Amino acid sequence: MARNIVIGDVHGCLAELTDLLAKLKPAKEDQLIFLGDLVNRGPDSHGVVSLVRSLPNAVSLLGNHELRLLQYRKEREAKILKEYDWETVRQLDEQDWKYLQGMRLTWYLPEFQTVCVHGGFLPDQPWDKQPAEVVTRIQVIDEQGKPRKRTEAPLGRSWADKWEGPPFVVYGHTPRPDVYRRPWSLGLDTGCVYGGYLSACILPQREIVQVAAHTKYL
């Protein structure tokens, strides 16, 4: 039976992605869904994108890091980039950029009533109508009900704590020591680039498969 395998934020950690794929042993009929932020922070963004591009039956979702790089690629405004972005810009080739441009915002699996996304959703709006600036960046909701990153609203509440499905949401973006389980969501960013784990979730049974980081890159 074909599997749907969702993989959390890789962030340039090619060795760990190679380890995870070896552990998962995906068959050609399995669907691989990458939750975005393939690039930046880790040592080999080009290697990661190149490997993911080569995988049969794989789809990648847009993360906030890819969104920022694509904005720079379009506008050529240096102030858009963070310091560590420059190494990624130097690494990526034209095929990599083309792949980033083709990334989707969400991936819906109707048979499981499950949607995959990089960051998350505002709970009071239709999930499929929310823009890239929200779904790639949201971590918490502030006192005014606005989507924020944790650094922008330290007292904000996790959007996942407020989300009541359906659909069930599988997401990345917010690094934590372990997967973040809520009744209607599952957070898969377990901080590989920070020395944690690279995590995958196999649907529909929601089995978690992990590999440890080789080192702490940041």
Side-chain angles (χ1 to χ4, degrees):
M1 180 179 177
R3 299 176 296 171
N4 289 272
I5 303 171
V6 189
I7 297 176
D9 303 38
V10 182
H11 276 303
C13 297
L14 178 61
E16 289 82 358
L17 177 56
T18 302
D19 290 350
L20 183 61
L21 291 172
K23 194 170 184 178
L24 290 166
K25 297 182 173 62
K28 63 180 181 179
E29 65 269 18
D30 291 339
Q31 175 77 67
L32 294 172
I33 305 156
F34 289 86
L35 290 176
D37 283 2
L38 295 178
V39 301
N40 279 351
R41 292 186 169 147
D44 196 351
S45 292
H46 165 69
V48 168
V49 177
S50 181
L51 174 56
V52 173
R53 285 198 288 109
S54 74
L55 296 171
N57 213 21
V59 62
S60 290
L61 305 184
L62 185 70
N64 58 302
H65 285 260
E66 288 92 6
L67 182 64
R68 187 172 64 247
L69 291 171
L70 289 169
Q71 184 183 1
Y72 165 74
R73 178 82 163 172
K74 181 179 179 180
E75 300 178 13
R76 297 295 180 178
E77 287 284 347
K79 64 183 180 181
I80 292 172
L81 296 184
K82 298 186 176 182
E83 185 176 348
Y84 56 72
D85 290 330
W86 290 106
E87 176 59 29
T88 302
V89 170
R90 287 189 288 268
Q91 287 185 20
L92 298 184
D93 63 24
E94 286 301 318
Q95 289 302 309
D96 297 333
W97 285 109
K98 184 177 180 180
Y99 189 79
L100 266 58
Q101 289 168 349
M103 286 180 166
R104 303 170 57 107
L105 272 189
T106 60
W107 187 261
Y108 184 52
L109 298 160
E111 64 270 38
F112 309 133
Q113 286 193 298
T114 296
V115 62
C116 302
V117 67
H118 177 63
F121 301 109
L122 284 167
D124 58 350
Q125 300 178 18
W127 65 265
D128 56 348
K129 305 298 183 184
Q130 298 183 38
E133 290 73 15
V134 172
V135 304
T136 65
R137 296 189 75 251
I138 188 172
Q139 292 179 323
V140 299
I141 299 171
D142 69 15
E143 293 180 352
Q144 288 74 45
K146 303 294 185 183
R148 304 291 184 192
K149 297 186 74 173
R150 289 185 293 191
T151 53
E152 297 169 340
L155 300 180
R157 186 179 175 189
S158 168
W159 72 269
D161 292 347
K162 297 169 71 71
W163 181 261
E164 297 179 1
F168 188 86
V169 181
V170 183
Y171 67 99
H173 183 53
T174 301
R176 297 182 175 97
D178 200 358
V179 294
Y180 193 64
R181 298 179 185 271
R182 287 295 179 265
W184 286 100
S185 64
L186 179 68
L188 277 186
D189 186 350
T190 43
C192 181
V193 76
Y194 300 107
Y197 294 86
L198 183 60
S199 297
C201 173
I202 302 174
L203 298 173
Q205 61 268 46
R206 300 176 190 167
E207 175 190 352
I208 300 299
V209 179
Q210 295 180 314
V211 295
H214 287 206
T215 188
K216 184 177 180 179
Y217 297 100
L218 291 177

